[in-house]
Amino acid sequence: MAQKGIRVTPKLLFFLACACMWLKTVIVSFIGFDITIHTWFDALLLVVNPIGSLFLLIGLSMYFTKRLHIKWLLAIMILVTGLLYGDLLYYRFYIDYVTVSILFQFKNVGGIGPSTFELMKAWDLLLFVDIIIIAWLSKKAIVQSKEISVRFKKRFIGFSTLLLFLLAGLGWSQSPYLFSASYNREQMVKSIGPYNYHLYDIVMGLRPTIDRAVATHVDTAKIEEYMASKQEDTTDFFGLAKGKNIVLISMESTQNFVINQKVNGREITPFLNDLIKESFYFNQIYDQTAQGKTSDSEFMIDTSLYPLSGGSVFVRRPGNTFTSLQHLLKENGQYYSASFHGNDPSFWNREKMYENLGYDRFFSKQDYQVTDENSVNYGIKDIPFFEQSVELMKTMPEPYLAKLITLTNHFPFLLDENDQLIAMGNTDEGVVNRYVTTVRYQDEAIKRLFQTLKDNGMYEDTIFVLYGDHYGISKKYEAALSQMLGDAYSPINHIHYRQVPVIIHIPGEGGETISVPGGEIDIRPTLLHLLGMKAEDTISFGHNLFTRKASHPVIFRDGGFVNDTYIFQDGVCFNKSSGEQLDNTACEPYQKTVHDELGLSDEIIFGDLLRFKGIKD
Ligand code: GP9
Ligand code: MN
């Protein structure tokens, strides 16, 4: 008697699986990732570019057996869907794509910040429905147990491989900088699809090993030549802080919009608002960090090189030779350098990297009295942190560099009620509302620090550099931020929100707001200028902010930039003052500088080129 039921051939089942996986990849690419689509060709690429790699992968369920191996088929579907879903969750939080290096550094930083569950949505279950259907079909339907011919397999592999290269080539033809500027991850995913992007990223993970092995002093000489073209003018401020102690205050997640901003009629940063009146206040400095967050800002200030696009240099290249700020201060002024931070010494691999950068001492969690009462979120609260730090600072020989890294204003911005000195914001986003209270608390902590230093005679002979390390309100919450600030929607709001405050306070000097566009990478040359140290022969991408040209691009790690006239963001050129979208040709001349500088900086780091500095033929 003939069997009743749905009949499917193994090939039909196989192609059904391929089609389902393709379809959901396309849906996630369009709806889950906020990819900017400029032309119909961009959209077409996004639709077709997962096919080659996806088909080749799913094909693994039949290459090595005579018949379709259903269990393998399901396992591959689960794995690839898991990868896609992981990408989606990561994207929801970071608005970025996972790199292999970030996966490796989770042991140093503890993985995705907020609870992963918070990032999940009920709709996400739909991603797995096709797997259930295929599993059901393979059980219930009558899969005619025909063998899959070798000829078919060969044709399938040939077709998929051809498609893979053809589509990658098409993507490349669209953006010639695609592979050389692979730090632009959105461009990569848009042009070659999420799976090929991962494959490329894995292969590129080998780059540091290869680059280091083949690098020679000739590569370093090429970079020294580039640097020689960068002569800077001097100013009356040269040497204004000569011989003074240096206190750097890294203000966790502090964005520039908090300065002089009121919420519910109260200032968020009353102390900093007063301080800038007696300081050099740079109000157009942009956050240039990438996946290494705080460690990237530290890296830029210590080395004046760009951070890496994927992962943190602190974690990836802690053994490289660097001409650091600490080394320069030691050579030019016998400075003693220490970093102060109430977290574990291994966080961001600081312990190892600091030693290499030439810090004499790292006062970490182990050097502080940390209790449940004086801690919140990531560790010791800023007020007790500063109180205890001053006692430790007293033990240091002078002149010194003391870098104090705050912690309380860290995502998700938690604070005990009796530390809340200002009412929360009243937007639709708890993150934004709480941020106001933790920034206000940090401001109070800094105010008390200044008072304690004055009380102990440690204020007068010091230059203070305060800077926001990076954004606190990620892109995901920027709509609520606009709501709080009363900003109308504009595609360039994001770039404005990336500004971090930089305040240089020399007792008795300053009282000037300087509005030149700049980045964190420029802090070191500016500081060295004030200290009266010429560092012209150092390899550095930063510029002295007192003389920086307003047209020179402030470069972001994803290949974007901003200067006095233009903003280049996600592949689109904007007029900086009107927010109007321009033809990309307007931004092109600056893109070359962006490309050159990021490329050279990466070469230095991956090739460990500073080890050859000064070596001639
Ligand atoms: C942890 C602190 C915060 O030690 O530096 O790190 P972040 O998440 O901002 O990079
Ligand atoms: Mn930080």
Side-chain angles (χ1 to χ4, degrees):
M1 207 174 72
Q3 279 181 297
K4 282 187 184 163
I6 315 163
R7 282 176 185 278
V8 279
T9 62
K11 274 188 200 164
L12 184 64
L13 200 66
F14 175 77
F15 278 122
L16 197 61
C18 289
C20 288
M21 292 300 294
W22 175 29
L23 189 68
K24 70 184 168 193
T25 307
V26 172
I27 293 174
V28 168
S29 301
F30 275 97
I31 300 175
F33 304 148
D34 184 20
I35 294 180
T36 336
I37 310 275
H38 303 305
T39 60
W40 65 267
F41 192 75
D42 281 352
L44 181 75
L45 270 182
L46 211 54
V47 172
V48 292
N49 60 24
I51 303 178
S53 44
L54 201 52
F55 282 19
L56 277 175
L57 268 171
I58 300 174
L60 286 169
S61 57
M62 58 155 179
Y63 301 149
F64 310 107
T65 47
K66 280 187 180 157
R67 295 182 173 82
L68 178 67
H69 202 299
I70 300 284
K71 280 189 186 148
W72 285 14
L73 179 72
L74 293 173
I76 294 166
M77 286 180 82
I78 292 171
L79 277 176
V80 177
T81 306
L83 176 71
L84 189 65
Y85 191 40
D87 279 346
L88 184 62
L89 290 179
Y90 185 85
Y91 189 90
R92 280 186 188 151
F93 187 66
Y94 290 106
I95 323 285
D96 194 359
Y97 303 90
V98 182
T99 59
V100 175
S101 2
I102 196 90
L103 293 179
F104 277 114
Q105 75 186 26
F106 276 174
K107 73 178 186 330
N108 298 89
V109 296
I112 249 181
S115 145
T116 311
F117 289 116
E118 209 182 282
L119 300 168
M120 294 175 167
K121 295 183 180 155
W123 287 104
D124 299 348
L125 285 175
L126 291 178
L127 280 179
F128 296 87
V129 167
D130 59 331
I131 305 176
I132 298 169
I133 295 174
I134 299 285
W136 179 83
L137 267 181
S138 65
K139 280 246 177 293
K140 290 285 173 196
I142 302 150
V143 180
Q144 293 162 343
S145 61
K146 265 199 221 152
E147 286 182 10
I148 298 184
S149 68
V150 176
R151 190 158 150 245
F152 173 79
K153 289 179 195 173
K154 277 187 180 162
R155 281 188 176 178
F156 179 82
I157 295 176
F159 170 75
S160 306
T161 316
L162 188 75
L163 216 56
L164 177 81
F165 284 104
L166 200 73
L167 295 175
L170 263 184
W172 195 15
S173 73
Q174 268 300 85
S175 31
Y177 280 153
L178 183 66
F179 294 107
S180 62
S182 59
Y183 43 77
N184 187 342
R185 287 187 279 274
E186 173 169 313
Q187 185 62 51
M188 285 294 274
V189 172
K190 186 158 79 180
S191 303
I192 62 171
Y195 307 116
N196 295 330
Y197 154 72
H198 282 303
L199 193 70
Y200 187 77
D201 177 54
I202 292 169
V203 174
M204 285 312 280
L206 301 171
R207 184 178 162 191
T209 320
I210 298 169
D211 276 16
R212 196 178 189 286
V214 299
T216 67
H217 69 277
V218 178
D219 302 293
T220 313
K222 181 183 84 181
I223 292 174
E224 282 177 311
E225 215 169 279
Y226 180 85
M227 294 295 156
S229 63
K230 202 180 82 168
Q231 283 300 328
E232 275 169 10
D233 304 331
T234 191
T235 73
D236 292 345
F237 300 134
F238 184 76
L240 196 64
K242 195 171 177 54
K244 285 186 187 287
N245 291 324
I246 307 159
V247 172
L248 289 181
I249 304 177
S250 163
M251 301 185 289
E252 177 58 45
S253 303
T254 304
Q255 290 170 244
N256 196 46
F257 72 81
V258 297
I259 304 291
N260 286 328
Q261 178 66 40
K262 285 185 179 167
V263 170
N264 299 319
R266 307 253 320 265
E267 289 172 289
I268 312 176
T269 56
F271 177 71
L272 293 183
N273 297 348
D274 281 344
L275 187 72
I276 59 174
K277 293 179 196 145
E278 302 164 358
S279 309
F280 297 105
Y281 167 44
F282 300 90
N283 68 353
Q284 271 205 55
I285 305 302
Y286 292 84
D287 163 16
Q288 294 173 297
T289 62
Q291 291 177 330
K293 304 289 291 293
T294 314
S295 70
D296 280 352
S297 71
E298 291 187 66
F299 180 69
M300 277 185 277
I301 288 157
D302 288 352
T303 66
S304 214
L305 300 176
Y306 291 100
L308 289 175
S309 140
S312 159
V313 188
F314 272 40
V315 177
R316 294 185 68 188
R317 311 306 296 159
N320 272 16
T321 301
F322 293 111
T323 316
S324 68
L325 173 66
Q326 293 68 29
H327 288 136
L328 292 173
L329 291 175
K330 180 83 81 196
E331 276 162 32
N332 293 291
Q334 285 302 311
Y335 273 79
Y336 181 91
S337 297
S339 179
F340 299 74
H341 186 49
N343 204 342
D344 293 322
S346 61
F347 203 101
W348 282 129
N349 206 23
R350 285 189 174 99
E351 202 172 23
K352 280 205 191 105
M353 185 64 164
Y354 279 171
E355 203 181 314
N356 186 23
L357 289 171
Y359 284 85
D360 297 294
R361 182 77 161 85
F362 176 23
F363 295 100
S364 68
K365 189 176 180 180
Q366 293 143 1
D367 298 278
Y368 289 83
Q369 304 287 333
V370 184
T371 62
D372 281 349
E373 289 69 45
N374 75 5
S375 302
V376 70
N377 201 3
Y378 271 63
I380 183 167
K381 295 183 214 172
D382 294 342
I383 292 179
F385 164 68
F386 282 142
E387 275 167 6
Q388 296 184 35
S389 297
V390 174
E391 291 309 309
L392 299 168
M393 282 164 72
K394 287 180 186 167
T395 64
M396 291 195 298
E398 296 186 66
Y400 59 70
L401 162 78
K403 174 162 73 180
L404 304 159
I405 305 172
T406 69
L407 198 51
T408 307
N409 184 40
H410 194 287
F411 187 89
F413 314 113
L414 309 174
L415 199 60
D416 302 329
E417 221 174 302
N418 46 5
D419 288 322
Q420 292 177 14
L421 307 169
I422 190 171
M424 288 195 194
N426 29 34
T427 72
D428 304 335
E429 239 9 298
V431 164
V432 176
N433 301 343
R434 294 194 299 274
Y435 180 75
V436 172
T437 64
T438 44
V439 176
R440 174 66 188 86
Y441 172 85
Q442 178 187 255
D443 184 77
E444 179 66 21
I446 298 172
K447 175 182 163 189
R448 293 194 195 185
L449 168 71
F450 270 70
Q451 194 52 54
T452 317
L453 292 175
K454 281 181 184 167
D455 295 346
N456 285 279
M458 297 161 80
Y459 166 76
E460 282 300 328
D461 209 21
T462 299
I463 168 173
F464 295 87
V465 182
L466 295 87
Y467 63 93
D469 64 349
H470 49 75
Y471 70 85
I473 306 295
S474 75
K475 213 171 174 184
K476 176 171 150 67
Y477 304 108
E478 279 178 359
L481 178 58
S482 301
Q483 187 189 348
M484 187 172 82
L485 302 177
D487 291 344
Y489 171 77
S490 160
I492 58 167
N493 278 351
H494 171 65
I495 293 288
H496 293 314
Y497 296 153
R498 278 186 82 163
Q499 286 174 350
V500 288
V502 171
I503 303 167
I504 302 188
H505 180 72
I506 306 170
E509 306 286 349
E512 213 181 303
T513 295
I514 298 163
S515 298
V516 65
E520 292 163 300
I521 204 159
D522 302 317
I523 293 177
R524 183 174 98 168
T526 313
L527 174 63
L528 290 175
H529 184 73
L530 290 166
L531 292 170
M533 293 183 192
K534 282 205 184 337
E536 276 162 1
D537 64 332
T538 58
I539 289 181
S540 147
F541 291 98
H543 296 258
N544 172 6
L545 287 167
F546 290 108
T547 57
R548 195 185 201 284
K549 284 192 183 60
S551 61
H552 187 78
V554 180
I555 298 172
F556 301 117
R557 227 10 286 212
D558 62 358
F561 76 85
V562 59
N563 68 1
D564 56 344
T565 323
Y566 302 111
I567 288 174
F568 187 66
Q569 170 185 253
D570 297 335
V572 186
C573 186
F574 294 95
N575 176 309
K576 191 184 179 195
S577 43
S578 66
E580 184 199 346
Q581 188 173 332
L582 303 171
D583 194 282
N584 273 5
T585 46
C587 283
E588 254 162 36
Y590 304 100
Q591 268 175 275
K592 181 175 174 348
T593 313
V594 172
H595 190 245
D596 285 351
E597 293 212 352
L598 292 177
L600 287 176
S601 184
D602 283 352
E603 275 180 42
I604 292 173
I605 297 169
F606 289 143
D608 191 6
L609 295 186
L610 298 182
R611 70 196 148 127
F612 301 122
K613 208 174 159 294
I615 302 178
K616 302 257 177 309
D617 274 325

